[in-house]
Amino acid sequence: MAFDFAELQAQLAVRQQQALLRQRYTVDSPQGVRVKVAGHEYINFCSNDYLGLANHPEVKAAALSSIQRDGVGGGASHLVCGHHQQHHLLEQEFASLTGRDAALLFSSGYMANLGVLTALCDKQDAIFEDKLNHASLIDGGLQSGARFQRFLHNDMQSLEQKLVKTSARRKLICVDGVFSMDGDKAPLRELVKLAPKHDALLMVDDAHGFGVLGANGFGLAEEASVDQQQLPLLMCTLGKSLGGFGALVAGPKVLIDYLIQFARSYIYTTSMPPSIAAACRRSLSLLSEEAWRRQQLLQNIDAFKQQASALGLSLLTSDTAIQPIWVGDEQLALDCQAFLRQQGIWLSAIRTPTVAKGAARLRVTLTAAHDEADIAALLQSLEALIKRYPQLLEQA
């Protein structure tokens, strides 16, 4: 029997009817506060480039210099001949900054989470994850073959009830540091008390916290004053606050050595271009050299929250750069997205399955590169949006 492409088409049609069909939009400008899409310029409020480093002249210069010196491609996997000096230095510098013994560079955050969970756990083990964890942690947990359990969001009682019942060989607790769709933070101080009580290993995916949180921008662990012994597995991506690409997993040397041997998503893929690693190294150094960026971001977050709340909009509980506006209905979220784009504002409607059905929202992300005029333009557009769709205030 021939493969039935008509069935695939029918499934796509159902998604369209449910206002759930995803679309790609081609950006033809650098990432920044302003982006060009299909010849039109928009103020960008949906990028994770929190510190405005993706188009930083010194970060670009570091990449260009590396290309001239080191070439373009990685050439092979890290364990063949693809582990370049730039990769190695990036690992060492990240480990030093975060107070960890060692770090391992992956080509993406998804590959890092998949690699860690499938290397450390199998059917003899148990993995406990927050219900709002990123898809990469969920997929890693499922693919590991371990007994996979999800606890209620940020609910330590729910987690402990599950930990008490397990007889697994290894117990791994995995959480997002900052939850990517809600913007709230994991209760890290509570987690570091709970994990050793049940002989569990704790892992935090701090993709949206690193670069933003903490006195030096080293993430949720720094903000909570949590060290390597308390948090043995720390994962941070390089494509958000650092404006680059890839991810690093940091922790005790024995754990990193183990991942080098058993993390398949690390072993069986070509290494990233050395120039990307060089660019990320420069971004790491800018965390301290241009610390004003974090302060500006915090000011922008406060300004937006105060003024959006004054408009009567329903914001989720978040003090991070992720400021979701609750909408609820998927079609209404799409309509709001389209209206804002007519106003010159580029942000995204987030719908199921990324969030629960009926929990659609407009995910506003703020950066250090936004200025008062940008935020004022967003708020003016949101005020017009409320007039067009007054039911948004009913969600508040």
XYZ file of all heavy atoms in Angstrom, residues 113 130 132-134 137 153-154 174-180 183-188 191 203-210 213 219-221 223 231 233-236 319-320 322:
322
model
N 19.845 18.402 26.727
C 18.893 17.758 27.628
C 18.640 16.307 27.238
O 18.574 15.419 28.102
C 17.581 18.541 27.654
C 17.695 19.827 28.444
O 18.576 19.969 29.282
N 16.814 20.769 28.180
N 8.936 18.771 36.443
C 7.849 19.735 36.583
C 6.928 19.651 35.365
O 7.392 19.485 34.234
C 8.438 21.154 36.709
C 7.409 22.175 37.125
O 6.516 22.485 36.307
O 7.497 22.683 38.255
N 5.503 21.849 33.759
C 5.700 22.918 32.775
C 7.108 22.935 32.199
O 7.508 23.920 31.568
C 5.365 24.281 33.403
C 3.910 24.482 33.837
C 3.675 25.937 34.232
C 2.928 24.061 32.749
N 7.857 21.857 32.383
C 9.209 21.792 31.813
C 9.185 21.940 30.295
O 8.203 21.598 29.618
C 9.859 20.456 32.162
C 10.611 20.493 33.474
O 10.659 21.509 34.146
N 11.214 19.375 33.838
N 10.329 22.388 29.763
C 10.499 22.503 28.315
C 10.390 21.136 27.641
O 10.717 20.101 28.231
C 11.866 23.129 28.019
C 12.047 23.488 26.581
N 12.633 22.644 25.673
C 11.715 24.619 25.902
C 12.664 23.233 24.485
N 12.108 24.427 24.595
N 13.321 18.575 27.839
C 13.447 17.783 29.059
C 12.416 16.655 29.075
O 12.717 15.524 29.475
C 13.267 18.663 30.290
C 14.449 19.542 30.695
C 14.054 20.463 31.846
C 15.670 18.717 31.074
N 3.203 21.895 39.007
C 4.134 22.993 38.782
C 4.585 23.656 40.084
O 3.765 24.165 40.869
C 3.493 24.026 37.866
C 4.351 25.226 37.607
N 5.662 25.124 37.184
C 4.097 26.561 37.732
C 6.169 26.338 37.056
N 5.252 27.208 37.380
N 5.913 23.611 40.301
C 6.554 24.252 41.463
C 5.954 23.791 42.795
O 6.016 24.526 43.786
C 6.467 25.783 41.352
C 7.547 26.350 40.446
O 8.481 25.652 40.044
N 7.418 27.618 40.095
N 14.411 17.053 37.447
C 14.741 18.005 36.383
C 13.712 19.127 36.354
O 12.503 18.854 36.305
C 14.742 17.325 35.018
S 15.897 15.971 34.860
N 14.189 20.359 36.353
C 13.289 21.514 36.251
C 13.895 22.586 35.359
O 15.112 22.672 35.199
C 12.998 22.136 37.646
C 12.291 21.151 38.560
C 14.272 22.656 38.289
N 13.032 23.399 34.784
C 13.474 24.642 34.168
C 13.860 25.607 35.286
O 13.224 25.620 36.345
C 12.348 25.281 33.365
C 12.091 24.609 32.027
O 12.686 23.548 31.779
O 11.282 25.146 31.247
N 14.879 26.438 35.036
C 15.197 27.493 35.986
C 14.171 28.602 35.896
O 13.587 29.025 36.894
N 13.959 29.091 34.681
C 12.888 30.032 34.369
C 11.992 29.329 33.353
O 12.472 28.868 32.314
C 13.433 31.350 33.778
C 12.291 32.252 33.324
C 14.308 32.075 34.802
N 10.715 29.250 33.642
C 9.801 28.511 32.759
C 9.475 29.368 31.539
O 9.016 30.509 31.657
C 8.556 28.092 33.537
C 8.881 27.031 34.555
C 9.268 27.385 35.837
C 8.852 25.689 34.212
C 9.603 26.418 36.778
C 9.186 24.714 35.140
C 9.568 25.071 36.420
N 9.736 28.799 30.367
C 9.818 29.584 29.136
C 8.499 30.189 28.687
O 8.501 31.183 27.962
C 10.387 28.725 28.008
O 9.581 27.579 27.795
N 7.360 32.399 32.543
C 8.313 33.393 33.023
C 8.611 33.336 34.504
O 9.406 34.121 35.008
N 7.963 32.401 35.234
C 8.256 32.289 36.658
C 9.461 31.387 36.879
O 9.943 30.722 35.961
C 7.035 31.790 37.434
C 6.526 30.445 36.929
O 6.856 30.056 35.797
O 5.792 29.781 37.687
N 9.958 31.347 38.116
C 11.200 30.635 38.425
C 10.942 29.407 39.280
O 9.993 29.365 40.075
C 12.174 31.578 39.148
C 12.640 32.744 38.289
C 13.563 33.677 39.036
C 12.831 34.595 39.992
N 13.674 35.693 40.492
N 11.817 28.412 39.137
C 11.748 27.229 39.989
C 12.163 27.599 41.413
O 13.041 28.447 41.607
C 12.674 26.141 39.446
N 11.561 26.958 42.427
C 11.942 27.219 43.827
C 13.241 26.489 44.170
O 13.240 25.468 44.853
C 10.745 26.663 44.606
C 10.224 25.561 43.755
C 10.460 25.994 42.329
N 14.346 27.027 43.703
C 15.615 26.303 43.754
C 16.071 26.006 45.179
O 16.592 24.926 45.462
C 16.695 27.085 42.994
C 18.024 26.371 42.780
C 17.830 24.999 42.155
C 18.950 27.224 41.925
N 14.283 23.027 46.331
C 14.700 21.824 45.598
C 16.027 21.281 46.122
O 16.207 20.067 46.222
C 14.805 22.140 44.105
C 13.473 22.235 43.356
C 13.648 22.972 42.038
C 12.889 20.846 43.114
N 18.907 18.510 38.479
C 19.334 19.146 37.235
C 18.436 20.349 36.962
O 17.215 20.264 37.078
C 19.238 18.167 36.062
C 19.556 18.795 34.708
S 19.417 17.602 33.346
C 19.785 18.678 31.944
N 19.046 21.478 36.603
C 18.302 22.682 36.235
C 18.686 23.109 34.821
O 19.874 23.232 34.492
C 18.571 23.838 37.219
C 17.983 25.145 36.699
C 17.980 23.513 38.583
N 17.669 23.299 33.989
C 17.838 23.883 32.665
C 17.622 25.386 32.824
O 16.490 25.853 32.933
C 16.804 23.262 31.717
C 16.771 23.936 30.343
O 17.334 25.037 30.194
O 16.155 23.365 29.421
N 18.719 26.134 32.855
C 18.637 27.574 33.112
C 18.759 28.386 31.825
O 19.366 29.460 31.802
C 19.723 27.998 34.110
C 19.323 29.259 34.876
O 18.117 29.531 34.988
O 20.226 29.962 35.376
N 18.137 27.874 30.767
C 18.230 28.524 29.460
C 17.802 29.984 29.495
O 18.428 30.842 28.869
C 17.374 27.756 28.441
N 16.731 30.284 30.247
C 16.193 31.645 30.259
C 16.640 32.449 31.483
O 16.244 33.609 31.632
C 14.665 31.593 30.197
C 14.147 31.029 28.917
N 13.933 31.797 27.793
C 13.826 29.755 28.578
C 13.486 31.020 26.818
N 13.417 29.780 27.270
N 17.459 31.841 32.335
C 17.945 32.553 33.510
C 19.379 32.997 33.386
O 19.765 34.077 33.860
N 20.203 32.167 32.709
C 21.615 32.513 32.590
C 21.781 33.781 31.754
O 21.175 33.947 30.702
C 22.407 31.365 31.952
C 23.880 31.636 31.919
C 24.646 31.494 33.064
C 24.494 32.088 30.758
C 25.998 31.780 33.053
C 25.847 32.378 30.739
C 26.606 32.222 31.887
N 19.755 36.549 35.429
C 19.580 36.492 36.877
C 20.924 36.465 37.598
O 21.936 36.058 37.033
C 18.768 35.249 37.250
C 17.388 35.105 36.611
C 16.742 33.802 37.062
C 16.498 36.299 36.935
N 22.899 33.397 36.442
C 21.694 32.606 36.437
C 21.051 32.365 37.786
O 21.429 32.944 38.818
N 20.054 31.483 37.775
C 19.268 31.210 38.969
C 20.114 30.652 40.103
O 19.870 30.965 41.271
C 18.138 30.227 38.623
C 17.153 29.908 39.738
C 16.403 31.156 40.182
C 16.174 28.826 39.301
N 21.108 29.813 39.777
C 21.961 29.251 40.832
C 22.694 30.351 41.577
O 22.810 30.310 42.811
C 22.953 28.257 40.229
N 21.691 33.543 41.783
C 20.686 34.320 42.494
C 20.278 33.630 43.796
O 20.056 34.294 44.817
C 19.450 34.513 41.609
C 18.360 35.336 42.256
C 17.136 35.492 41.372
O 16.320 34.550 41.303
O 17.004 36.560 40.746
N 23.660 21.704 43.443
C 23.104 21.589 42.091
C 24.160 20.974 41.186
O 24.945 21.676 40.557
C 22.681 22.973 41.570
C 22.213 23.036 40.113
C 21.034 22.108 39.870
C 21.860 24.475 39.739
N 23.993 19.333 38.303
C 23.840 19.411 36.849
C 23.184 20.733 36.458
O 22.017 20.974 36.755
C 22.997 18.248 36.340
C 23.759 16.980 35.941
C 22.782 15.857 35.610
C 24.677 17.240 34.761
N 23.952 21.574 35.782
C 23.472 22.870 35.329
C 23.578 22.924 33.808
O 24.655 22.724 33.245
C 24.320 23.990 35.947
C 24.037 25.412 35.457
C 22.637 25.860 35.868
C 25.095 26.377 35.985
N 22.454 23.183 33.143
C 22.460 23.340 31.691
C 22.085 24.775 31.346
O 21.122 25.319 31.882
C 21.471 22.375 31.029
C 21.668 22.241 29.507
S 21.108 23.626 28.505
C 19.358 23.291 28.398
N 22.863 25.404 30.482
C 22.575 26.760 30.021
C 22.736 26.817 28.513
O 23.703 26.283 27.965
C 23.513 27.780 30.671
S 23.410 27.850 32.465
N 8.703 37.961 37.133
C 9.555 39.144 37.237
C 10.781 38.998 36.344
O 11.800 39.645 36.555
C 9.965 39.405 38.691
C 10.691 38.219 39.327
O 10.968 37.240 38.617
O 10.987 38.292 40.536
N 10.664 38.129 35.347
C 11.758 37.923 34.394
C 11.427 38.620 33.076
O 10.395 39.285 32.945
C 11.988 36.428 34.144
O 10.870 35.882 33.427
C 12.170 35.675 35.454
N 10.403 37.367 30.452
C 9.240 36.740 29.809
C 7.988 37.248 30.504
O 7.765 36.975 31.687
C 9.330 35.209 29.902
C 10.601 34.706 29.215
C 8.093 34.556 29.294
C 10.950 33.264 29.533
